[in-house]
Each structure stands twice: as C-alpha cells, then as structure tokens.
C-alpha cells in the first residue's frame, strides 16, 4: 500500500512540474534595426529603371540576424524586379541590427520585412501599406517613394 501511495505522489509531483514548465511564458523580442526602419528606408534609393518603367509594389524580404546584430543572410520571398530587389537587399545588409532576445538572452533569429515602392505619395496606396501586418511582421512596412517622378501625359 505504501508503494502505491508513493507512486501516486511521485506521479502527481511529476505532473505538477511538467504543467508548471508548459505554462511558463518566454518573452521574445524580435530583431530591430538600429535607428529604426526609417534608417533602412533612407538607405534605399529608387532605381532609375524602376522609375522609368513605372514599377510600384511590395517586396517581402526574409533576413537572418545573428546574436550580435549582423545580417547573416537576406532572401527575397516575393520580389518586383532585380533592380528593386537588389536595392532592398543592399539596404537590409548594410544596417546594423539590435539582436532578438528570448528571456533576456541575445539569440539569432529570422524576420520577414515588407518594403513598398511607390512613385509618389498617394493616400489610395495606404491599402497596400496596411495589408502588410502579418504574424511574421507587425507594424508599418518600409515605404520608398520617388518624389521627383512626373508622368509625361
């Protein structure tokens, strides 16, 4: 009888500690570019070929950031043209990042970043900007505009 009682108590203790572990939340902070996303936005220059061809749209980038804030890799998930994609990759790679943290410890991580290219500021294009919030990216995307663009009509 004592053995059965000890076995039941041991089982209950194990279940309690297992439940306590599964209920523990880990605070995770995603990586963030030094100077904010505005700093990356300022580094991206709208390629002339994109302006001449009137190309606008959204690029999705996946970047891997190591535990000290260096960009390990950048991959285009959804691109526009090679020139616009390359301008975006160059800006992401040149940024210094504040590493992600998990429970206060610096960790390497991956992040998806939307970058929108617009020839002019246009309130109707707010829809594209607002549709970028996903579980992978919460917030506003990097928006690059070419203010000097004047269509020849």
């Amino acid at each position: 009888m004592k053995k059965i009682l000890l076995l039941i108590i041991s089982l209950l203790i194990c279940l309690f500690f297992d439940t306590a572990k599964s209920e523990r939340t880990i605070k995770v902070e995603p990586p963030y570019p030094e100077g904010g996303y505005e700093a990356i936005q300022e580094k991206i220059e709208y390629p002339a070929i994109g302006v001449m061809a009137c190309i606008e749209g959204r690029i999705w980038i996946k970047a891997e950031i190591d535990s000290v804030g260096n960009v390990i890799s950048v991959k285009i998930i959804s691109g526009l043209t090679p020139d616009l994609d390359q301008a975006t990759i160059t800006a992401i790679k040149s940024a210094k990042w504040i590493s992600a943290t998990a429970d206060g410890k610096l960790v390497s991580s991956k992040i998806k970043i939307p970058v929108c290219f617009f020839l002019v500021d246009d309130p109707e294009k707010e829809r594209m900007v607002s549709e970028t919030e996903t579980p992978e990216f919460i917030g506003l995307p990097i928006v690059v505009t070419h203010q000097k663009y004047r269509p020849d009509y």
Side-chain angles (χ1 to χ4, degrees):
M1 183 72 174
K2 286 183 180 180
K3 288 183 181 180
I4 294 175
L5 187 59
L6 282 172
L7 183 63
I8 292 172
I9 291 172
S10 298
L11 182 63
L12 290 173
I13 290 172
C14 289
L15 286 173
F16 171 77
F17 282 111
D18 189 46
T19 303
K21 283 182 183 176
S22 65
E23 290 177 5
R24 188 176 91 111
T25 56
I26 297 173
K27 185 176 180 183
V28 176
E29 294 290 330
Y32 195 76
E34 288 184 1
Y37 286 101
E38 298 82 16
I40 293 175
Q41 179 177 325
E42 291 173 6
K43 293 179 181 187
I44 301 174
E45 191 165 324
Y46 214 121
I49 194 158
V51 174
M52 290 186 299
C54 299
I55 297 171
E56 294 182 305
R58 180 176 44 226
I59 295 173
W60 278 96
I61 296 273
K62 183 182 234 176
E64 186 175 357
I65 314 299
D66 69 14
S67 62
V68 293
N70 298 314
V71 178
I72 298 170
S73 67
V74 178
K75 179 183 174 187
I76 298 289
I77 299 170
S78 172
L80 289 171
T81 69
D83 293 323
L84 293 170
D85 296 351
Q86 190 56 51
T88 304
I89 289 171
T90 302
I92 299 289
K93 283 183 174 181
S94 68
K96 180 68 175 162
W97 290 75
I98 297 167
S99 299
T101 59
D103 272 351
K105 296 176 184 165
L106 297 174
V107 295
S108 61
S109 61
K110 294 178 181 172
I111 185 169
K112 291 182 182 177
I113 307 164
V115 179
C116 294
F117 283 87
F118 301 134
L119 292 169
V120 294
D121 283 329
D122 185 351
E124 291 181 20
K125 295 185 180 162
E126 292 291 324
R127 179 182 51 78
M128 184 180 288
V129 171
S130 65
E131 289 175 354
T132 58
E133 193 164 293
T134 68
E136 295 89 14
F137 184 87
I138 297 173
L140 293 176
I142 298 168
V143 177
V144 181
T145 58
H146 188 274
Q147 297 295 347
K148 297 174 186 165
Y149 174 75
R150 299 275 189 260
D152 296 326
Y153 294 114

